[in-house]
Amino acid sequence: MSELSGKKQGMERLRLANEAERGGIMFKEDNEKIRNRILKAVEGFSDEQLNDKPAQGKWSAMQVLDHLQMMENVIAKNISKELERETSHKAVKKPIQLTVSRAIKVKAPSFTKPSEDFIKLETMKDKLAASRQLLNGIYDNAPEASLRSKSLPHPVFGKVPLMQWFPFVGLHEKRHFKQLEDVLSEINGEKKQ
């Protein structure tokens, strides 16, 4: 192995160690795991089935997916705006892991309410990929000190450090994965086409 190659590997290990210390690798892996579970759950269903509401007042499977990409986009854009601000409130870490509990009911903000429009799964997959790319890009380019010293408000937890909003996205998706499973089960008794 050449000296240059060895230095590159050493720098990559250092980068990975720094990212792991920030929690970046962990949240990215966790977020990808739940996203993959969500996408696997909708495999084999037609676009019609995915857009079918199981009952009046309930979201379709596609609306659950739409809500997830909308929420991820809103969080990413709000983090980006907060990073640009001169001043921001520092916040203590919050118990965001409680997000997965469906015992605590939280009404979706109006700006993350899903569309009533018919959406094809391939279109939604593109939207989900774009929202994930935006979130990860903001994380990758943000100064760690800013992520730790700035915060955004959450309707249940109050001020949440920016650093915690990245894993929050995955926890939010875990919460809705349970809802998605229920919807898929209801739309046709677990029968796929």
Side-chain angles (χ1 to χ4, degrees), residues 92-97 147 160-169:
V92 297
K93 281 186 170 183
K94 301 300 189 297
I96 62 169
Q97 65 278 7
L147 293 176
V160 175
L162 295 185
M163 184 65 86
Q164 282 194 288
W165 281 97
F166 298 94
F168 170 83
V169 169

Short mmCIF file of all heavy atoms in Angstrom, two decimals, residues 92-97 147 160-169:
data_model
loop_
_atom_site.label_atom_id
_atom_site.label_comp_id
_atom_site.label_asym_id
_atom_site.label_seq_id
_atom_site.Cartn_x
_atom_site.Cartn_y
_atom_site.Cartn_z
N VAL A 92 -31.70 21.94 25.75
CA VAL A 92 -31.20 20.67 26.28
C VAL A 92 -31.83 19.54 25.46
O VAL A 92 -32.89 19.70 24.86
CB VAL A 92 -31.54 20.49 27.79
CG1 VAL A 92 -30.85 21.56 28.62
CG2 VAL A 92 -33.03 20.51 28.01
N LYS A 93 -31.15 18.40 25.44
CA LYS A 93 -31.67 17.25 24.70
C LYS A 93 -33.04 16.87 25.24
O LYS A 93 -33.30 16.95 26.43
CB LYS A 93 -30.72 16.06 24.83
CG LYS A 93 -29.52 16.12 23.94
CD LYS A 93 -28.74 14.82 24.04
CE LYS A 93 -27.68 14.76 22.98
NZ LYS A 93 -26.97 13.47 23.03
N LYS A 94 -33.90 16.45 24.33
CA LYS A 94 -35.26 16.04 24.69
C LYS A 94 -35.42 14.54 24.49
O LYS A 94 -34.68 13.93 23.70
CB LYS A 94 -36.28 16.80 23.82
CG LYS A 94 -36.21 18.31 23.95
CD LYS A 94 -36.46 18.78 25.36
CE LYS A 94 -36.61 20.27 25.53
NZ LYS A 94 -35.47 21.09 25.20
N PRO A 95 -36.41 13.93 25.14
CA PRO A 95 -36.64 12.48 24.99
C PRO A 95 -37.39 12.18 23.69
O PRO A 95 -38.52 11.68 23.70
CB PRO A 95 -37.47 12.13 26.23
CG PRO A 95 -38.23 13.38 26.52
CD PRO A 95 -37.30 14.52 26.14
N ILE A 96 -36.74 12.47 22.56
CA ILE A 96 -37.41 12.33 21.27
C ILE A 96 -37.78 10.89 20.94
O ILE A 96 -38.62 10.65 20.08
CB ILE A 96 -36.58 12.95 20.12
CG1 ILE A 96 -35.23 12.25 19.98
CG2 ILE A 96 -36.41 14.45 20.30
CD1 ILE A 96 -34.46 12.61 18.73
N GLN A 97 -37.19 9.93 21.64
CA GLN A 97 -37.52 8.52 21.40
C GLN A 97 -38.99 8.24 21.71
O GLN A 97 -39.57 7.27 21.23
CB GLN A 97 -36.60 7.58 22.18
CG GLN A 97 -36.72 7.65 23.68
CD GLN A 97 -35.94 8.79 24.34
OE1 GLN A 97 -35.38 9.65 23.66
NE2 GLN A 97 -35.91 8.80 25.66
N LEU A 147 -25.16 22.90 15.12
CA LEU A 147 -26.17 21.86 15.34
C LEU A 147 -26.41 21.62 16.83
O LEU A 147 -27.51 21.27 17.24
CB LEU A 147 -25.75 20.55 14.66
CG LEU A 147 -25.71 20.55 13.14
CD1 LEU A 147 -25.19 19.23 12.62
CD2 LEU A 147 -27.08 20.86 12.56
N VAL A 160 -36.00 21.95 20.68
CA VAL A 160 -35.21 20.74 20.46
C VAL A 160 -33.92 21.14 19.74
O VAL A 160 -33.97 21.85 18.73
CB VAL A 160 -35.99 19.72 19.60
CG1 VAL A 160 -35.13 18.51 19.26
CG2 VAL A 160 -37.27 19.29 20.32
N PRO A 161 -32.75 20.70 20.25
CA PRO A 161 -31.49 21.01 19.55
C PRO A 161 -31.54 20.53 18.10
O PRO A 161 -32.09 19.47 17.81
CB PRO A 161 -30.44 20.23 20.34
CG PRO A 161 -31.05 19.97 21.68
CD PRO A 161 -32.53 19.86 21.43
N LEU A 162 -30.95 21.32 17.20
CA LEU A 162 -30.95 20.94 15.79
C LEU A 162 -30.39 19.53 15.59
O LEU A 162 -30.88 18.78 14.75
CB LEU A 162 -30.13 21.94 14.96
CG LEU A 162 -30.67 23.37 14.87
CD1 LEU A 162 -29.81 24.18 13.90
CD2 LEU A 162 -32.13 23.41 14.47
N MET A 163 -29.37 19.17 16.36
CA MET A 163 -28.74 17.85 16.25
C MET A 163 -29.76 16.72 16.41
O MET A 163 -29.64 15.67 15.78
CB MET A 163 -27.63 17.72 17.29
CG MET A 163 -26.85 16.42 17.18
SD MET A 163 -25.91 16.30 15.65
CE MET A 163 -24.43 17.15 16.14
N GLN A 164 -30.80 16.94 17.23
CA GLN A 164 -31.77 15.89 17.47
C GLN A 164 -32.84 15.79 16.39
O GLN A 164 -33.56 14.79 16.32
CB GLN A 164 -32.45 16.10 18.83
CG GLN A 164 -31.59 15.67 20.01
CD GLN A 164 -32.44 15.59 21.27
OE1 GLN A 164 -32.85 16.62 21.80
NE2 GLN A 164 -32.69 14.39 21.72
N TRP A 165 -32.98 16.81 15.57
CA TRP A 165 -34.00 16.76 14.52
C TRP A 165 -33.71 15.72 13.45
O TRP A 165 -34.61 15.18 12.83
CB TRP A 165 -34.19 18.15 13.89
CG TRP A 165 -35.02 19.03 14.76
CD1 TRP A 165 -34.56 19.96 15.65
CD2 TRP A 165 -36.44 19.05 14.86
NE1 TRP A 165 -35.62 20.56 16.29
CE2 TRP A 165 -36.79 20.02 15.82
CE3 TRP A 165 -37.45 18.34 14.23
CZ2 TRP A 165 -38.10 20.30 16.16
CZ3 TRP A 165 -38.77 18.63 14.56
CH2 TRP A 165 -39.08 19.60 15.51
N PHE A 166 -32.44 15.38 13.25
CA PHE A 166 -32.07 14.40 12.23
C PHE A 166 -32.55 13.00 12.63
O PHE A 166 -33.25 12.35 11.86
CB PHE A 166 -30.57 14.45 11.95
CG PHE A 166 -30.14 15.78 11.40
CD1 PHE A 166 -29.65 16.77 12.25
CD2 PHE A 166 -30.23 16.05 10.04
CE1 PHE A 166 -29.27 18.01 11.74
CE2 PHE A 166 -29.85 17.29 9.53
CZ PHE A 166 -29.37 18.27 10.38
N PRO A 167 -32.25 12.52 13.85
CA PRO A 167 -32.81 11.23 14.25
C PRO A 167 -34.32 11.29 14.47
O PRO A 167 -35.01 10.28 14.34
CB PRO A 167 -32.06 10.87 15.53
CG PRO A 167 -31.46 12.14 16.02
CD PRO A 167 -31.27 13.02 14.82
N PHE A 168 -34.85 12.47 14.80
CA PHE A 168 -36.30 12.61 14.97
C PHE A 168 -37.04 12.17 13.72
O PHE A 168 -38.11 11.54 13.80
CB PHE A 168 -36.67 14.06 15.33
CG PHE A 168 -38.15 14.31 15.30
CD1 PHE A 168 -38.94 13.98 16.40
CD2 PHE A 168 -38.77 14.84 14.18
CE1 PHE A 168 -40.32 14.18 16.37
CE2 PHE A 168 -40.14 15.04 14.13
CZ PHE A 168 -40.91 14.72 15.24
N VAL A 169 -36.48 12.48 12.54
CA VAL A 169 -37.14 12.11 11.28
C VAL A 169 -37.36 10.60 11.22
O VAL A 169 -38.44 10.12 10.88
CB VAL A 169 -36.33 12.61 10.06
CG1 VAL A 169 -36.85 12.00 8.76
CG2 VAL A 169 -36.39 14.13 9.98
#
